[in-house]
Amino acid sequence: MSPKLPPKKAALYDRIDEILWFDWDPIGCNEYEAARDEYHSYLPQVFSLAIEGSDTYKISNFLHECETINMGLAGNKKRCAAVAVLICSERDKTYP
């Protein structure tokens, strides 16, 4: 659930949350509803990058750093890039 934000920003925040859960999911936990909050700690930063107008490269790099540095995974640059495109696309629909 989004923090207290204006409606358009709240909708984008919620959509980014869904993208991180369904499309990014680097640890493969999205089949377990009990783990639904697994990526919420990354959500505010990704949202900030999106509304600040960051490009797909910057968002992708942030996601990849989360995977490799924060989670200790090998990382998947291709998936991070695809997710960044989705995030920017949602932002651009909301803020054309």
Side-chain angles (χ1 to χ4, degrees):
M1 181 188 322
S2 60
K4 292 196 181 238
L5 294 168
K8 278 187 173 183
K9 285 186 178 180
L12 180 60
Y13 189 91
D14 291 341
R15 183 63 186 115
I16 291 171
D17 179 37
E18 290 177 358
I19 291 169
L20 294 179
W21 178 246
F22 292 107
D23 299 296
W24 184 45
D25 189 30
I27 61 174
C29 66
N30 71 7
E31 64 187 78
Y32 305 104
E33 191 57 35
R36 184 61 180 92
D37 64 349
E38 184 64 34
Y39 306 122
H40 284 176
S41 63
Y42 306 107
L43 181 55
Q45 182 65 30
V46 175
F47 176 72
S48 291
L49 288 169
I51 63 170
E52 291 168 1
S54 296
D55 61 13
T56 57
Y57 180 79
K58 188 168 185 175
I59 294 171
S60 176
N61 280 343
F62 174 75
L63 293 172
H64 191 258
E65 285 178 13
C66 292
E67 290 180 355
T68 57
I69 295 169
N70 298 12
M71 297 177 196
L73 303 171
N76 184 325
K77 286 186 177 193
K78 187 175 180 180
R79 178 183 55 228
C80 291
V83 167
V85 167
L86 287 172
I87 290 168
C88 288
S89 174
E90 288 298 320
R91 177 204 50 220
D92 295 345
K93 283 188 225 175
T94 307
Y95 299 99

